[in-house]
Amino acid sequence: MGVYAWLWALNRPADAEPPQHPDWFAVNAAGKSCHRQENRPFVSYYQFLCPNREEVRHHLLREVRRLAAIPGISGIQADYIRMPDATLPRHLWDYYGLDMSTPSPKYDYCYCAVCLDKFRRLYGRCPLAAPAEDKEWLDFRLNSVADFYNMLAEETRNHHLRSACAVFPTPTLAAEMVRQDWGRFHTDLALPMVYHSFYDEDDAWAVDITRRAALETDGRIPLAPGLHLPDIPPDELAARLNDFLTTGCHGIALYSDAEITAEHLRVLQQWMAEQRYRIRQDARHNR
Ligand SMILES: [Zn+2]
């Protein structure tokens, strides 16, 4: 058993510091920054910061050090290691009244001066006018997010703690949707949020996509797929957990603590007791 501190990394709505530095915020292809509420995509808590700003990097390293000083924690779990959604999961298009089948500059980040300048110095040119066709520009931004995570993870491990991250279902999907190619992350544990209802899919999809994530990362990243509890009736929970065990995953995450019911907890405790019994029996047989 262990407790991980929860770190909102590139989206920091509860942090008083960033609003004092308007230039810390991520900027979209239309030149609008997440600093001003009226320019934020989808929801007002989308207050994403730029992964390439030195001041942002130092600020988040300070946050890691602050969390690492909490006595008794085993690690830090980073969340929101990504850009705003260039594409939302299919189910949410209707919710926001959007058709996201073609990319829009409104939802494509980060085009701030620092990112554009860094890209220009590396590649000797500006991003193409049609960013969807600019593989180097996409690659640059995927690396920017991955490098940001890897910096935080390294600092976490310097404090002898484990670094985990909550991510979108597979590196390919995550890169496309939120510029989060987590196959590039040096992480001790990835928690892919395989929320099937968000994608208009069924629970078999969640198991399949977990297998795909393991394949895409050649099994080198320990996975703990994250299940969305409101989609799982308590009497189906044990079967769902058993399905996920067949993927070879390292653990299973249940989101969120506010949505777990007394009945879910009862089923979970019974299931865990059965697993402990099975592990003991297996150990006895293998002796
Ligand atoms: Zn930027």
Side-chain angles (χ1 to χ4, degrees), residues 23-27 49-53 83 109-116 137 140 144:
D23 59 346
W24 284 16
F25 289 81
V27 173
L49 307 177
C50 166
N52 280 315
R53 295 258 165 186
M83 287 287 95
Y109 291 77
C110 177
Y111 286 71
C112 81
V114 165
C115 287
L116 290 173
W137 174 232
F140 169 83
S144 299

Side-chain angles (χ1 to χ4, degrees), residues 84-87 138 142 170-181:
D85 312 61
T87 313
L138 176 62
L142 298 179
T170 66
T172 302
L173 263 182
E176 209 176 278
M177 298 175 78
V178 293
R179 313 305 182 216
Q180 180 192 60
D181 182 1

Side-chain angles (χ1 to χ4, degrees), residues 30-214:
K32 302 280 189 204
S33 144
C34 287
H35 175 239
R36 294 171 73 95
Q37 175 146 355
E38 65 268 29
N39 292 332
R40 292 175 195 151
F42 316 116
V43 280
S44 62
Y45 72 84
Y46 263 26
Q47 299 178 31
F48 281 82
L49 307 177
C50 166
N52 280 315
R53 295 258 165 186
E54 277 310 310
E55 303 90 331
V56 172
R57 296 167 73 87
H58 286 135
H59 181 61
L60 265 295
L61 283 173
R62 278 194 298 275
E63 275 299 291
V64 168
R65 288 193 280 271
R66 188 179 67 80
L67 293 174
I70 299 171
I73 62 165
S74 307
I76 296 175
Q77 184 203 307
D79 210 340
Y80 286 98
I81 286 276
R82 63 178 182 90
M83 287 287 95
D85 312 61
T87 313
L88 284 169
R90 183 65 188 84
H91 186 73
L92 299 179
W93 295 10
D94 297 337
Y95 182 80
Y96 289 107
L98 293 168
D99 175 0
M100 302 193 83
S101 48
T102 47
S104 161
K106 264 173 84 178
Y107 307 113
D108 196 17
Y109 291 77
C110 177
Y111 286 71
C112 81
V114 165
C115 287
L116 290 173
D117 186 55
K118 192 173 173 187
F119 178 76
R120 210 176 295 123
R121 278 186 281 115
L122 275 171
Y123 291 93
R125 64 175 181 86
C126 298
L128 298 179
E133 287 158 30
D134 196 335
K135 296 281 179 278
E136 286 175 337
W137 174 232
L138 176 62
D139 189 63
F140 169 83
R141 288 180 294 160
L142 298 179
N143 264 341
S144 299
V145 172
D147 181 62
F148 192 86
Y149 173 74
N150 291 338
M151 172 192 75
L152 300 183
E154 193 183 325
E155 181 66 20
T156 303
R157 285 188 283 266
N158 285 344
H159 294 271
H160 310 289
L161 296 171
R162 288 161 58 78
S163 177
C165 52
V167 292
F168 276 47
T170 66
T172 302
L173 263 182
E176 209 176 278
M177 298 175 78
V178 293
R179 313 305 182 216
Q180 180 192 60
D181 182 1
W182 54 272
R184 305 180 194 205
F185 288 13
H186 306 150
T187 184
D188 300 311
L189 183 69
L191 301 104
M193 295 172 282
V194 292
Y195 298 174
H196 60 81
S197 70
F198 285 34
Y199 296 83
D200 274 347
E201 299 282 357
D202 59 15
D203 39 48
W205 173 90
V207 176
D208 286 347
I209 205 93
T210 301
R211 287 187 212 285
R212 209 177 312 157

